[in-house]
Amino acid sequence: MITSLLVANRGEIACRIFRTCRELGIRTVAVHSDADENALHARVADTTVRLPGAAPTETYLRGDLIVKAAVASGADAVHPGYGFLSENADFARAVIDAGLVWIGPPPEAIEAMASKTRAKQLMGIPSLDRDRVTESDLPVLVKAAAGGGGRGMRIVRRLADLDGALEGARAEAASAFGDGEVFVESYVEGGRHVEVQVLADTHGTVWALGTRDCSLQRRHQKVIEEAPAPGLSSELRDELHALAVRAARAVDYVGAGTVEFLVSSAGSAHFLEMNTRLQVEHPVTEAVFGLDLVAGQIRVAEGHALESDPPRARGHAVEARLYAEDPSADWAPQTGTLHRLTVPDDVRLDTGYGDGDGIGVHYDPMLAKVIAHAPTRAEAVRRLSGALERATIHGPVTNRDLLVRSLRHKEFTGAGMDTGFYDRHLAELTEPAPDPYAPLAAALADAQTRVSRFGGYRNLPAQPQLKRYATAGEEQEVRYRHTRAGLEADGVRVVRATSGLVVLEVDGVQRKFEVTRYGDQVYVGATALTALPRFPDPTTQHAPGTLLAPMPGTVVKIADGLAPGAAVQAGQPLLWLEAMKMQHKITAPVTGTLTALHAACGAQVEVGALLAVVEVSQEDQ
């Protein structure tokens, strides 16, 4: 009987596992890096153990330190969560050898399926010989043999790009998983990403817990998932279930796992991999089947038998991953303080952050998962999109607007999506649409916080007050006046104005604006604004060829031969930053001559740091 469990992970998944442990009466142990010392998962655990350092390779990928932490803390079981060491057979063996219960499949099953190349061999599916790829094989997908989460993956459409894709995928995979092995497979255009959840016990029972569709992806990482996968024929669904059970039985699988497929537009299934761990998107399966997969993992690890048949599925569930990132800026990760995160009570929120927590550069930028369940798909989608729209998210830029628009896009509501959804629709889904009255509401609320004890009106003609705000990449000016009757503005009637609530009447319709301010950051409903000084600071202006770091991170590579005096073209890759477990290409902002290079490999840079300067060519001025 498990009485104390250590989670070899962090953030959202650690918090989620701890929740089930509390319900089962199991004591919880967290490990944390120095960067996560005050993280939510460390705060809610009964016991915490420090892993010195910040980078994953120093901390959450150090299986030896985690096993020592489990023994030292008195834990009798280890749950790996997802990512990090969750599919590392050596780590599983080390846990078992230390006399601890491993909440996962046998190491032999992990070895058989953790490498995608070996999994394909086991399933009888050949990979392409990367040294013999020809034009006729294109497009192909370069993919990390280990790990997941979209890291170490590249689509190649031109043969000339293959070597670069292999190199980039190797580097990203080695950084994320400690294993730089990659392979090449055919890329299915217009395919859907469909997977089957399995749960197996030590007595020979394997459950196939329905399908999930995870086709909406950015950088090969899932964004929106749902269960069951819509629009599958009963024959295809049965085939996928049978293949998933066959894969589990082939390796004597135990615990929760997921078998993933690409389903072509013609309805044929192509095996991708088996993930020998809990998936990020497991809550949609839990909602539909009315069970707790983490509790199932623990009971199976304790030797309990599953019922002969799984519970019946009911309704439909949809999950959206809320990321601290800017989809309109090549999905650039964002950092800073998450001042507040709340969602309506009719949806489930799984998160690893609390109000006031900092979002750093070392780990994945996912803030939370929001899950809605309803009797039908249409109702679940509507509930989730409405909840996200009404959510309070004060902090760094997020993908919230993208999620809402995606859920309401006709291609998604009609279940016609595939893995190319964002390739086709990203521009329209990220088109700025700021509320035109948000800056005025912010100004009026600010005016109320600055009113003297004698009031804002003076016995002089009312002079217009000017405020400037930045929103959606644009600056806006608004004007208002203090009068005997209160605050006034052209084109609207100010019904009410306090420091936290402004009510405006426009063409006979009253609109309410909740306003919250954190320094210069102002949130008016779902619109984020930055209060600007009345007169711009000339010292903050930069020349057109100045290249600033778009995010905090580590410089991991500089283009070959790049040095001051080199001629560069606009859009030419100059260097690469690693932030939040992903590599980001930084390109020349203009065509010209590189006159300064301030970046160096291995250097840590903050957002806005000067990386390089390109002097614009005369003909381009």
Side-chain angles (χ1 to χ4, degrees):
M1 181 71 68
I2 294 170
T3 60
S4 178
L5 184 146
L6 179 145
V7 175
N9 218 295
R10 63 176 300 280
E12 174 271 324
I13 187 57
C15 293
R16 186 266 169 273
I17 295 168
F18 290 157
R19 185 169 66 243
T20 290
C21 287
R22 286 193 295 272
E23 293 172 357
L24 296 178
I26 296 173
R27 187 172 66 89
T28 57
V29 182
V31 290
H32 67 81
S33 67
D34 290 339
D36 276 341
E37 181 178 8
N38 297 311
L40 182 61
H41 79 278
R43 300 199 301 268
V44 300
D46 297 315
T47 303
T48 62
V49 181
R50 173 181 176 242
L51 302 176
T57 52
E58 300 173 320
T59 55
Y60 299 109
L61 288 172
R62 285 288 302 273
D64 57 333
L65 297 182
I66 292 174
V67 171
K68 288 180 181 179
V71 173
S73 65
D76 47 27
V78 173
H79 193 304
Y82 53 69
F84 293 130
L85 295 171
S86 62
E87 295 178 283
N88 186 304
D90 289 339
F91 177 59
R93 285 195 182 93
V95 170
I96 295 169
D97 290 345
L100 305 169
V101 177
W102 169 249
I103 310 296
E108 296 76 18
I110 297 175
E111 282 181 330
M113 288 294 185
S115 169
K116 299 174 181 65
T117 51
R118 291 192 290 275
K120 282 178 170 289
Q121 293 169 359
L122 185 67
M123 299 292 288
I125 302 169
S127 298
L128 291 174
D129 185 339
R130 66 191 182 201
D131 296 322
R132 297 183 179 179
V133 174
T134 66
E135 292 285 352
S136 63
D137 296 318
L138 300 177
V140 297
L141 183 66
V142 176
K143 198 171 185 180
R151 290 176 288 277
M153 295 177 66
R154 303 286 191 279
I155 299 174
V156 179
R157 301 184 185 278
R158 300 190 312 152
L159 206 56
D161 297 334
L162 181 59
D163 288 344
L166 287 167
E167 180 184 355
R170 285 192 195 101
E172 194 167 89
S175 174
F177 316 120
D179 184 347
E181 181 188 356
V182 298
F183 66 98
V184 179
E185 66 183 8
S186 297
Y187 180 67
V188 179
E189 296 276 15
R192 291 175 57 189
H193 188 123
V194 178
E195 59 191 30
V196 177
Q197 174 74 57
V198 298
L199 183 65
D201 63 19
T202 57
H203 305 277
T205 300
V206 180
W207 284 356
L209 292 168
T211 58
R212 295 189 290 249
D213 189 294
C214 310
S215 297
L216 266 62
Q217 304 177 5
R218 62 42 162 175
R219 290 182 170 177
H220 313 293
Q221 194 167 27
K222 301 159 189 172
V223 177
I224 294 176
E225 305 103 340
E226 59 181 304
L232 300 184
S233 67
S234 57
E235 293 80 10
L236 178 57
R237 184 178 60 250
D238 292 344
E239 177 188 355
L240 296 178
H241 286 179
L243 286 170
V245 171
R246 190 179 83 188
R249 293 194 184 283
V251 293
D252 295 325
Y253 199 80
V254 175
T258 299
V259 184
E260 301 195 342
F261 304 89
L262 268 181
V263 176
S264 72
S265 56
S268 59
H270 301 260
F271 171 78
L272 286 176
E273 61 184 311
M274 182 177 187
N275 288 317
T276 54
R277 55 172 169 81
L278 197 65
Q279 293 282 90
V280 178
E281 58 272 19
H282 74 273
V284 293
T285 298
E286 291 183 322
V288 168
F289 283 89
L291 49 75
D292 183 330
L293 282 171
V294 173
Q297 287 182 294
I298 292 172
R299 292 189 179 108
V300 163
E302 290 177 326
H304 297 289
L306 298 171
E307 299 289 336
S308 57
D309 296 309
R312 292 185 60 185
R314 296 178 57 190
H316 201 95
V318 189
E319 171 182 292
R321 302 189 192 185
L322 184 68
Y323 286 102
E325 66 183 12
D326 186 351
S328 66
D330 196 27
W331 312 97
Q334 307 292 302
T335 59
T337 300
L338 181 64
H339 299 290
R340 192 176 182 200
L341 172 61
T342 61
V343 299
D345 293 336
D346 60 346
V347 295
R348 169 177 165 179
L349 176 70
D350 284 11
T351 183
Y353 290 93
D355 292 352
D357 285 351
I359 301 164
V361 301
H362 299 289
Y363 312 113
D364 187 273
M366 189 176 77
L367 299 180
K369 304 180 307 194
V370 186
I371 306 100
H373 180 238
T376 67
R377 180 177 189 268
E379 290 173 289
V381 170
R382 182 174 62 191
R383 179 172 295 174
L384 181 57
S385 62
L388 286 166
E389 190 172 51
R390 298 192 305 275
T392 300
I393 307 170
H394 295 167
V397 172
T398 72
N399 66 336
R400 185 252 296 273
D401 290 346
L402 174 84
L403 295 173
V404 173
R405 294 180 184 184
S406 298
L407 290 165
R408 292 173 176 171
H409 193 280
K410 63 180 180 181
E411 193 171 297
F412 183 82
T413 57
M417 65 286 180
D418 58 44
T419 56
F421 180 83
Y422 287 123
D423 293 335
R424 294 189 299 274
H425 303 301
L426 185 61
E428 64 183 274
L429 294 171
T430 55
E431 183 71 25
D435 190 317
Y437 296 101
L440 176 60
L444 296 174
D446 183 65
Q448 293 299 82
T449 66
R450 301 173 187 272
V451 172
S452 73
R453 63 190 180 93
F454 299 107
Y457 175 76
R458 292 178 175 84
N459 193 26
L460 295 170
Q463 297 296 317
Q465 303 295 307
L466 174 68
K467 293 288 290 183
R468 298 171 59 245
Y469 295 93
T471 178
E474 297 182 355
E475 294 186 12
Q476 295 190 35
E477 290 185 352
V478 292
R479 298 173 185 271
Y480 63 92
R481 296 177 300 278
H482 290 282
T483 71
R484 289 184 183 276
L487 292 168
E488 291 186 355
D490 293 338
V492 302
R493 184 170 76 90
V494 182
V495 179
R496 182 182 179 189
T498 68
S499 60
L501 177 66
V502 173
V503 182
L504 302 178
E505 184 176 297
V506 182
D507 297 330
V509 178
Q510 291 189 8
R511 296 186 56 192
K512 298 178 181 179
F513 299 87
E514 293 186 356
V515 182
T516 308
R517 183 164 183 159
Y518 308 89
D520 291 337
Q521 297 301 306
V522 187
Y523 297 89
V524 182
T527 301
L529 306 167
T530 300
L532 301 175
R534 184 173 180 182
F535 301 105
D537 182 356
T539 63
T540 63
Q541 304 303 307
H542 298 284
T546 302
L547 182 60
L548 305 178
M551 67 199 75
T554 303
V555 180
V556 293
K557 181 182 176 183
I558 294 176
D560 294 340
L562 189 68
V568 298
Q569 298 292 317
Q572 175 184 335
L574 300 183
L575 53 92
W576 285 258
L577 285 180
E578 183 171 279
M580 296 185 175
K581 300 169 72 174
M582 300 287 283
Q583 288 191 8
H584 305 269
K585 181 170 56 179
I586 309 300
T587 61
V590 294
T591 297
T593 302
L594 184 73
T595 59
L597 179 62
H598 298 278
C601 280
Q604 295 277 342
V605 297
E606 295 299 323
V607 62
L610 181 62
L611 300 176
V613 178
V614 179
E615 184 175 318
V616 184
S617 299
Q618 293 296 322
E619 56 268 23
D620 293 332
Q621 291 184 348

